[in-house]
Amino acid sequence: MRGGRRPPRDFREGEGALSRAPLAFATEETYHHGYNKRDRQTAYQHEVLAFSLGDEEYALDILRIREIIKLRPVTEVPRAPAFIMGIISVRGQVLPVMDLRLRLKLRARPPTTSSRILIATREGEAQGLLVDKVSQVVRMRDEEVEPPPPMLLGADGGEFIGGVGRPFPGSMLILLALDAVLSYGLEPRR
Amino acid sequence: MTTDRPSDKALQEFLSEAQEIVENFNRDLLALDAQRAEGRYDPEYVNDAFRAVHSLKGLSGLFGIGRMTTLSHTLETLLDSLRLGRVTITPELLDLLFEAIELYGRLIADAASGGQAEGIDIDGYLRRIEGAAAHRVVAPPAVRPLGEYELDPSILSVLTEYEEHRLRESIRAGRTLYRIHAAFDLTSIDKGLEELKVRLKPVGEVITYLPSAESADENKIELDVILAGEEDASTLERAVAGTGVAVSEVSKGREAPAPPPPPEPRRRPRGETTREPRLDGSEEPEEDRPSSLRSVSQTVRVDIRKLDHLMNVIGELALARAGIVEILEELRQRRETSELARALHRESRTLERKLNELQTGILEVRMVPLGQVFDKLSRVVRKISRETGKEIRLAISGADTELDKLIVEELSDPLMHIIRNSIDHGIEAPDVRRRAGKAESGTISLAAAQKGNHVVIEISDDGAGFDEERILETALRRRLIDSHAAAEMSRRELLNLVFLPGFSTRDHATELSGRGVGMDVVKTNIAKLSGIIDLSSTRGKGTVISITLPITLAIIQALVIRAAGRTYAVPLNSVLESLTILPGEVQTLSGREVLTLRGQTLTLVRVEDALGLARNEPPPERAYVVVVGLAQHRLGLVVDDLVGQQDIVIKSLGRALSGLRGIAGATELGGQQIVLVLDVAALVEESLRGAVEAA
């Protein structure tokens, strides 16, 4: 990941930015910038972290993402659902990591160097989500967010889709329903 | 944060303090309840209860929790009447007061969640309390006038209403009055007076103490203590021997010497505080020193999560130290740095020792006495026994045994369940007991004791005991065991069948003479705390349930093992032994691998099979068996290798995975390696169930 001090790009600022897709990597600055800028923003109701799984762009509410870390060895957990890769320890706290591809019922793919673990929270509990690549922070207005298309909802894994964001023409972000993604039952053994 | 509202932190402080005060209040009521049965009670408990409510009134007023203030104020009035003897203590009155404990609990919980207790209706309760307070006793039977005693009229004139009441009560009870004259140094009066009170406590009741008029030395304060004693003068003298105080009996009769001049008003700071409670002697002659707002208490309250965090930090420090040791090893290899390596080795040993001390220190901070949960149980026993009409005596011992705060918290539900079962199904109705030749009132005893790294809690009753024939019948009918297994079972094993899930359900509970209502839940809860529960019972004599718990959950000793290329930790408290096996030694018995160990058959379970792990390489020629035990059940876990013993800090897998059976948590072993800790209890249970299903 590039660590330069270049100003973070934002598609909403500057006219030409829109044509610059595909989305670039998010640096740590982008990420912090995303947090800090919330205070200044007025017109945008949605601030999300965009990431990719294969060719598709997904996004999660940035306030629910505690941090982004590189892939590290996970300890497998027997008897856990198949999409749980295992557990990791982040600063002394043990948390489960799921392969988001498997969770969303997409095709499995081995991690690459650009794979990242997003640490997301639900009711104070953190869990890791493995994604292929983190793109950037995107801000959207209410009118740029659509409810999930009925076609998607009916499909396998449709329960995880909270909406579709169109931050600029021709782009599409699948907004995930994080609570649904992070809650799952454990199958009893017998 | 606005300035006119107390901060959240202050509110939290208040709530935990209020909780503590309510617990003390509860203890006072329990003590009064116990003493009431004997017909007389220690007025100190009424006083303590009064003070508790008074403090709650003041504190809740400060935090604007109006309902708590109103409740406390009303209770205060009632308790004041109680201590002044205007209202007598009856079981109904105590019932009413016990209700206040529940109300306080709800008010505190509501305030903790940010409410203002608007939704909690206390008005009905307040009216009943007011009614009780209005129920005054008619004037006490005539007592010989106090004037008959040779008491200094100047003393009599400054007695508070309460003190006068106690004085009259004591005279009526036929106790002897003593005057104890003591001189204290100005600087050490607090300590000296406290010491004197401790010495006097066993021999009588201190009615009052007043500065003496006869004081000669400017640097001394002389006090006259009026004591109502049960003992004779010589016992009293022995009690205060060596303190340099003078004891004299206050005799009856009118030939009193001329009263000394009244004492200087300056030294009577308490004269005008006729109603406010006096917390202790330290408030006494304070006027010579600048007043201070420092609190008397030397304790701090800490959120347990902060301690968890510190434990994590210590864990990380230990990992950092492991890193240093690795570097140290490398330095040792090189000749030019071997001198440095030795020095570093010494320092790292010191670091290790200090880390251990730190860890022990934090563990100690987490310890709380079991009395906290026992007190709650006393209230439950009282309530249930009044509901069921069975007379129950609860005998408690070892309430000062300490356990990790988290364990104590988790214990109250299982213990409550056991006791409820004991009263509902164990203790017989009074007439049945009489026919059986037993005392009409049943006894439940709660005993706790520390045994090494464990704490054993025994709950025993002298009730009807379990009927093992009916247990067997039920277990067979529910197909929890087959008749083969049943034939081989010992009595104890049979009794412990009640802990099996599915042994009984709520619907069937009544058809059993024993208990069994949700005993599997009790067992699961205890197993979650790494505890073991065992039951023994004699028909007609009673039942003993013993619970063995580790002192702390934070750090446990574990055996680190390897199986199918993975590393796991097994809590050492469930490991009985470990041994090597060669392939030829394993036999099969109806499809299951077994080992004959000292003439007994030990069922074997391969860790990879139990956990459903894929094995990439073939199992080693020589394997190991870790024999684990849960109550009377033994199981041999077959593993590839034993790595060694280690102290581990056990961590939860997080809420999402907390329901996984067979895994108790995770731990870091150094070098950033996380391994899972196996839940032996669950594995043994699964294997037992497997055996039943296979048969």
Side-chain angles (χ1 to χ4, degrees):
Chain A
M1 184 169 293
R2 289 167 291 171
R5 283 226 157 254
R6 81 169 62 204
R9 270 193 260 165
D10 187 307
F11 287 85
R12 308 302 308 178
E13 289 168 355
E15 275 304 303
L18 299 188
S19 53
R20 257 183 247 143
L23 308 175
F25 280 64
T27 62
E28 209 162 30
E29 282 83 16
T30 322
Y31 176 48
H32 282 293
H33 187 76
Y35 271 126
N36 298 335
K37 210 148 70 176
R38 262 195 83 84
D39 300 336
R40 285 184 271 125
Q41 73 166 40
T42 45
Y44 302 105
Q45 291 85 14
H46 303 273
E47 192 161 19
V48 295
L49 181 74
F51 56 87
S52 57
L53 294 175
D55 299 333
E56 292 178 323
E57 284 288 322
Y58 289 83
L60 283 170
D61 180 0
I62 194 144
L63 289 182
R64 301 282 297 275
I65 310 288
R66 202 174 71 188
E67 59 187 305
I68 303 169
I69 58 171
K70 290 192 178 169
L71 189 60
R72 54 174 84 180
V74 296
T75 300
E76 74 174 305
V77 180
R79 300 178 172 190
F83 55 82
I84 296 291
M85 301 169 67
I87 49 172
I88 56 170
S89 165
V90 180
R91 280 184 291 283
Q93 193 198 353
V94 173
L95 46 98
V97 178
M98 66 169 73
D99 185 336
L100 194 56
R101 283 175 157 276
L102 295 184
R103 180 65 174 142
L104 301 182
K105 312 204 168 125
L106 305 173
R107 200 166 20 88
R109 206 180 82 176
T112 64
T113 48
S114 57
S115 295
R116 291 289 178 277
I117 296 173
L118 310 184
I119 299 188
T121 56
R122 173 173 178 265
E123 290 167 10
E125 283 264 315
Q127 293 192 47
L129 307 171
L130 179 75
V131 303
D132 289 353
K133 196 162 83 179
V134 171
S135 319
Q136 64 163 12
V137 176
V138 177
R139 294 183 297 166
M140 292 175 291
R141 297 191 177 88
D142 270 343
E143 60 267 29
E144 289 161 338
V145 175
E146 302 165 3
M151 174 198 71
L152 269 183
L153 271 185
D156 207 11
E159 70 266 35
F160 303 125
I161 298 175
V164 172
R166 298 192 182 278
F168 42 88
S171 71
M172 190 182 89
L173 285 176
I174 302 170
L175 306 177
L176 289 179
L178 187 59
D179 286 337
V181 171
L182 294 186
S183 30
Y184 40 88
L186 302 172
E187 282 166 36
R189 272 258 299 172
R190 281 177 212 277
Chain B
M1 191 62 56
T2 49
T3 44
D4 57 339
R5 283 201 52 200
S7 68
D8 272 0
K9 194 168 174 198
L11 180 67
Q12 288 311 319
E13 282 277 298
F14 157 65
L15 291 174
S16 68
E17 186 172 355
Q19 186 80 52
E20 217 165 88
I21 296 174
V22 172
E23 278 164 21
N24 284 334
F25 182 36
N26 182 35
R27 259 195 288 279
D28 293 330
L29 293 181
L30 287 168
L32 283 173
D33 189 41
Q35 292 182 336
R36 185 198 48 79
E38 297 159 21
R40 50 179 302 181
Y41 55 89
D42 186 344
E44 245 339 277
Y45 289 117
V46 185
N47 258 337
D48 272 345
F50 174 72
R51 284 177 203 137
V53 171
H54 182 77
S55 310
L56 284 172
K57 176 172 122 177
L59 284 167
S60 60
L62 215 56
F63 285 86
I65 304 171
R67 297 199 156 233
M68 201 185 291
T69 317
T70 318
L71 174 64
S72 307
H73 177 75
T74 315
L75 283 169
E76 191 186 17
T77 312
L78 173 63
L79 286 162
D80 194 36
S81 296
L82 262 182
R83 63 184 203 130
L84 292 177
R86 293 191 200 126
V87 173
T88 44
I89 296 185
T90 58
E92 293 72 30
L93 187 68
L94 281 170
D95 283 348
L96 200 57
L97 288 171
F98 275 114
E99 264 181 66
I101 307 271
E102 318 282 343
L103 266 181
Y104 272 123
R106 283 165 57 201
L107 289 170
I108 290 172
D110 184 79
S113 57
Q116 281 294 313
E118 301 299 343
I120 300 173
D121 180 39
I122 60 169
D123 295 342
Y125 180 71
L126 291 181
R127 271 194 300 279
R128 277 152 60 213
I129 284 283
E130 278 160 7
H135 218 82
R136 291 195 169 203
V137 174
V138 229
V143 176
R144 275 168 301 188
L146 291 173
E148 193 181 302
Y149 279 83
E150 213 181 86
L151 277 171
D152 187 336
S154 64
I155 290 181
L156 289 180
S157 66
V158 296
L159 286 183
T160 64
E161 192 182 352
Y162 175 66
E163 287 165 348
E164 199 178 318
H165 163 69
R166 292 308 312 161
L167 187 60
R168 285 180 190 279
E169 278 289 297
S170 301
I171 294 170
R172 190 164 56 193
R175 294 149 139 196
T176 320
L177 293 187
Y178 295 98
R179 186 204 320 267
I180 294 149
H181 188 81
F184 296 102
D185 205 69
L186 260 184
T187 52
S188 62
I189 177 157
D190 294 357
K191 232 178 102 206
L193 186 59
E194 205 43 54
E195 223 174 81
L196 183 63
K197 275 158 71 178
V198 170
R199 278 165 177 264
L200 291 175
K201 178 92 188 151
V203 289
E205 179 187 349
V206 172
I207 303 287
T208 185
Y209 42 93
L210 298 166
S212 164
E214 299 148 23
S215 179
D217 189 337
E218 262 303 298
N219 295 319
K220 295 232 174 211
I221 290 187
E222 293 178 26
L223 292 178
D224 274 332
V225 179
I226 305 295
L227 180 94
E230 314 248 326
E231 316 285 341
D232 58 17
S234 60
T235 317
L236 183 54
E237 300 245 9
R238 268 201 303 283
V240 295
T243 53
V245 302
V247 177
S248 57
E249 189 177 331
V250 182
S251 50
K252 290 172 225 167
R254 292 269 55 189
E255 58 278 6
E264 295 165 56
R266 192 176 66 89
R267 289 227 173 122
R268 338 188 90 260
R270 213 199 52 240
E272 57 275 4
T273 57
T274 48
R275 206 172 148 274
E276 293 306 286
R278 194 165 67 217
L279 288 173
D280 53 48
S282 64
E283 274 187 20
E284 282 297 291
E286 195 76 23
E287 80 277 18
D288 286 344
R289 281 183 270 154
S291 65
S292 161
L293 290 176
R294 281 185 313 153
S295 66
V296 194
S297 163
Q298 289 288 328
T299 54
V300 286
R301 290 195 190 79
V302 185
D303 187 326
I304 191 129
R305 280 170 297 191
K306 286 188 183 167
L307 295 180
D308 284 343
H309 174 67
L310 287 180
M311 280 305 280
N312 278 341
V313 173
I314 291 176
E316 279 163 59
L317 281 177
L319 294 182
R321 199 196 78 90
I324 293 175
V325 171
E326 267 171 43
I327 299 170
L328 179 65
E329 279 311 310
E330 224 169 282
L331 286 178
R332 269 197 185 149
Q333 307 300 318
R334 301 185 200 160
R335 187 161 307 173
E336 68 272 25
T337 51
S338 65
E339 191 61 37
L340 267 179
R342 259 198 297 282
L344 185 56
H345 178 69
R346 272 198 305 278
E347 294 302 318
S348 113
R349 288 300 298 271
T350 314
L351 182 61
E352 184 184 10
R353 271 200 306 278
K354 292 297 159 193
L355 272 176
N356 283 342
E357 259 176 58
L358 195 56
Q359 200 166 56
T360 318
I362 289 183
L363 285 182
E364 270 169 25
V365 173
R366 295 171 62 100
M367 296 293 182
V368 293
L370 268 170
Q372 286 190 358
V373 53
F374 285 2
D375 284 343
K376 280 190 219 160
L377 293 171
S378 312
R379 207 163 68 223
V380 173
V381 169
R382 188 181 185 280
K383 201 170 159 207
I384 305 175
S385 73
R386 282 182 72 82
E387 276 169 16
T388 55
K390 293 177 183 172
E391 186 92 4
I392 311 283
R393 203 176 68 86
L394 183 69
I396 289 178
S397 68
D400 53 352
T401 310
E402 291 194 325
L403 268 177
D404 192 294
K405 168 85 176 163
L406 287 181
I407 301 184
V408 171
E409 288 292 312
E410 294 299 318
L411 265 181
S412 39
D413 283 350
L415 287 182
M416 203 176 291
H417 214 113
I418 291 172
I419 287 192
R420 189 170 253 289
N421 270 329
S422 217
I423 301 177
D424 278 352
H425 308 291
I427 305 271
E428 314 90 328
D431 53 320
V432 179
R433 290 182 64 90
R434 205 175 331 113
R435 278 199 299 278
K438 292 182 184 178
E440 270 185 39
S441 69
T443 301
I444 294 180
S445 74
L446 260 176
Q450 186 174 341
K451 288 183 182 157
N453 271 333
H454 288 88
V455 163
V456 180
I457 303 173
E458 274 192 0
I459 308 101
S460 44
D461 66 51
D462 63 352
F466 278 88
D467 183 342
E468 61 267 33
E469 275 161 36
R470 298 191 68 172
I471 291 175
L472 180 60
E473 206 177 284
T474 312
L476 286 172
R477 196 174 60 239
R478 292 184 196 284
R479 308 179 58 110
L480 296 170
I481 52 166
D482 59 27
S483 46
H484 277 300
E488 284 173 20
M489 277 184 144
S490 69
R491 218 183 144 261
R492 200 184 184 89
E493 283 173 321
L494 265 177
L495 286 173
N496 279 280
L497 287 174
V498 300
F499 292 119
L500 282 183
F503 176 78
S504 69
T505 60
R506 213 162 266 285
D507 308 335
H508 295 91
T510 44
E511 73 179 30
L512 281 172
S513 68
R515 305 148 215 209
V517 186
M519 286 304 255
D520 64 315
V521 179
V522 170
K523 183 177 179 158
T524 311
N525 286 339
I526 298 294
K528 266 192 208 146
L529 302 172
S530 302
I532 290 177
I533 187 162
D534 195 26
L535 184 149
S536 63
S537 178
T538 313
R539 275 194 76 181
K541 290 269 170 61
T543 302
V544 181
I545 292 180
S546 82
I547 298 172
T548 308
L549 292 160
I551 286 178
T552 178
L553 289 180
I555 294 196
I556 59 165
Q557 277 205 308
L559 179 65
V560 180
I561 57 122
R562 295 200 38 95
R566 283 91 164 170
T567 307
Y568 293 104
V570 182
L572 209 57
N573 61 10
S574 50
V575 174
L576 303 169
E577 61 182 312
S578 47
L579 39 118
T580 326
I581 49 161
L582 295 168
E585 293 177 277
V586 179
Q587 301 154 300
T588 47
L589 191 71
S590 52
R592 291 169 66 96
E593 288 183 306
V594 296
L595 182 72
T596 308
L597 181 62
R598 290 188 290 273
Q600 295 226 304
T601 310
L602 179 72
T603 308
L604 297 182
V605 166
R606 294 187 181 267
V607 170
E608 64 262 33
D609 294 341
L611 296 180
L613 304 173
R615 187 184 271 283
N616 296 325
E617 72 262 30
E621 268 291 286
R622 203 177 70 159
Y624 295 85
V625 172
V626 179
V627 184
V628 293
L630 175 78
Q632 72 283 10
H633 303 295
R634 308 273 175 270
L635 184 70
L637 288 177
V638 183
V639 305
D640 295 354
D641 200 5
L642 302 178
V643 181
Q645 276 182 28
Q646 200 166 336
D647 277 353
I648 60 167
V649 176
I650 187 161
K651 293 174 182 181
S652 129
L653 295 188
R655 216 184 303 137
L657 295 182
S658 65
L660 272 188
R661 280 184 64 81
I663 292 155
T667 189
E668 279 177 275
L669 282 190
Q672 300 254 309
Q673 191 191 5
I674 308 174
V675 305
L676 295 174
V677 182
L678 299 185
D679 178 354
V680 170
L683 293 180
V684 170
E685 219 159 76
E686 282 177 9
S687 131
L688 280 177
R689 241 183 302 161
V692 170
E693 280 166 23

